[in-house]
Amino acid sequence: MNQKQFNAFQKLTHELTGVSISDHRQSMLEARVGRRMRALTIEDTNQYYQLVLDCPDEQMLFVDNVTTHETSFFRTPRIWQYLEQDFLPRWLAQNPCSVFNVWSAATSSGEEAYSLAILLNEFQKKHESFNFRITATDLSTEMIQKCLQGNYQKRAVASLLSQRPSLAKQYLTAHSGGYRVSDTLTNQIQFQIHNLFGEPNRISEFDLVLLRNVLIYFTQDDQDRVLSNIHSSLKHKGMLIVGESESILHSIANYENIAPCIYQASAALH
Ligand SMILES: C[S@@+](CC[C@H](N)C(=O)[O-])C[C@H]1O[C@@H](n2cnc3c(N)ncnc32)[C@H](O)[C@@H]1O
């Protein structure tokens, strides 16, 4: 891939996903584009670029390939402890008759959404009046298909099996050399394709949004756009959780930092 081709793919990636690939990551982009070209037995980079421009189906596959999907069950244990022991009991005491509404935005292959579902089911067992609704979205069609299938390799559930064996036993069954999450969990989650840069269609709806490990791929201006969208989707004083290496204190949207990675939406924008 020459410099001109790299710049063209860099620009296209940004237009389609918002993800900014810095100049020093050329080899990573080359490897990801190359993987797709080999699958199609295309040798000419310009020909592949044109195909992505012309063919919406290939555009989807390009997006799947150039984005990073790393995730795991109960990633960053501190966050899940906070939700279980602090946030949820407080939320229920303040909202005894409401439905807890949570969104896992940029959920990748679903481990985050299923961790939420497990946590909320367990909380419900202890608090019968508690009800919840989970939405999980990602830009990648392939990831949303994976979420809906709910099949995970041993490696993906290793931490759940070792750290929370009783939960793993309840919610996972052995399947094709790996594991499958219970249908009950899959049916509790609304999985959808959604671009974080798209118009927010859920206004003031969510009590909690998990937006973890995706902002790092965006420029500061793009982060601001996404954070404003998320702010519109959160209820007043709704909670936003970001990834361990992400901070949103620069954001033009109004968020108050509660603890590392944890923010509360304050006064509405406008
Ligand atoms: C590294 S994964 C994070 C998964 C999970 N939130 C976690 O922290 O484990 C980042 C995900 O963001 C998604 N993504 C990238 N750009 C996006 C966009 N503009 N809109 C929605 N999702 C996007 C990717 O498809 C990928 O699955």
Side-chain angles (χ1 to χ4, degrees):
M1 191 182 283
N2 60 34
Q3 188 65 41
K4 199 172 157 208
Q5 289 165 331
F6 170 63
N7 292 145
F9 275 113
Q10 222 179 2
K11 190 162 170 278
L12 186 61
T13 304
H14 185 252
E15 277 165 17
L16 295 175
T17 68
V19 170
S20 291
I21 297 179
S22 49
D23 291 341
H24 71 273
R25 307 212 72 191
Q26 176 160 354
S27 55
M28 179 207 73
L29 184 69
E30 261 178 32
R32 291 179 179 187
V33 168
R35 190 167 57 202
R36 192 64 206 131
M37 285 172 60
R38 276 192 301 283
L40 293 167
T41 59
I42 292 179
E43 286 180 9
D44 179 355
T45 307
N46 291 339
Q47 187 193 340
Y48 179 64
Y49 179 75
Q50 198 55 47
L51 180 71
V52 179
L53 291 186
D54 294 343
C55 173
D57 284 352
E58 186 52 39
Q59 234 169 58
M60 246 162 43
L61 293 162
F62 172 75
V63 166
D64 293 341
N65 262 273
V66 292
T67 41
T68 301
H69 304 290
E70 189 191 326
T71 185
S72 57
F73 282 92
F74 293 98
R75 185 175 188 177
T76 316
R78 181 175 59 76
I79 294 298
W80 302 94
Q81 250 166 35
Y82 165 77
L83 290 177
E84 192 175 12
Q85 291 166 16
D86 187 339
F87 180 72
L88 285 172
R90 201 161 17 89
W91 183 90
L92 184 59
Q94 288 166 358
N95 304 274
C97 304
S98 308
V99 175
F100 179 67
N101 205 355
V102 52
W103 176 19
S104 164
T107 199
S108 189
S109 38
E111 286 88 329
E112 181 174 277
Y114 284 117
S115 303
L116 266 175
I118 292 173
L119 188 91
L120 297 181
N121 275 287
E122 290 300 297
F123 188 74
Q124 194 176 47
K125 284 181 191 165
K126 295 183 203 138
H127 306 274
E128 271 180 23
S129 65
F130 180 69
N131 275 309
F132 61 89
R133 191 177 306 134
I134 305 172
T135 303
T137 63
D138 199 279
L139 178 64
S140 160
T141 315
E142 188 191 357
M143 288 306 118
I144 293 300
Q145 276 161 3
K146 284 195 173 176
C147 291
L148 288 164
Q149 284 159 1
N151 295 330
Y152 295 98
Q153 291 179 353
K154 268 191 188 154
R155 185 171 41 83
V157 295
S159 60
L160 181 59
L161 289 168
S162 64
Q163 285 164 25
R164 303 187 183 221
S166 69
L167 294 185
K169 205 169 156 200
Q170 277 178 71
Y171 294 103
L172 300 177
T173 48
H175 176 79
S176 301
Y179 290 87
R180 184 188 194 106
V181 292
S182 84
D183 287 346
T184 311
L185 296 188
T186 308
N187 294 334
Q188 283 172 339
I189 307 170
Q190 241 195 317
F191 289 109
Q192 288 166 359
I193 295 166
H194 174 76
N195 189 336
L196 294 165
F197 291 88
E199 280 291 301
N201 52 2
R202 314 276 191 90
I203 304 297
S204 306
E205 199 173 293
F206 293 103
D207 298 286
L208 170 69
V209 175
L210 302 192
L211 179 72
R212 304 195 309 151
N213 303 299
V214 64
L215 289 172
I216 35 165
Y217 301 107
F218 303 151
T219 62
Q220 195 153 311
D221 282 352
D222 288 335
Q223 289 186 17
D224 278 344
R225 284 174 59 200
V226 168
L227 288 166
S228 295
N229 286 346
I230 298 282
H231 194 282
S232 308
S233 299
L234 275 167
K235 286 182 182 161
H236 179 54
K237 295 207 180 272
M239 212 58 95
L240 170 66
I241 299 187
V242 299
E244 267 181 302
S245 53
E246 295 164 325
S247 160
I248 63 163
L249 290 173
H250 64 271
S251 167
I252 50 155
N254 246 340
Y255 292 101
E256 191 190 336
N257 192 202
I258 304 291
C261 310
I262 303 169
Y263 296 83
Q264 185 165 44
S266 38
L269 286 174
H270 311 302

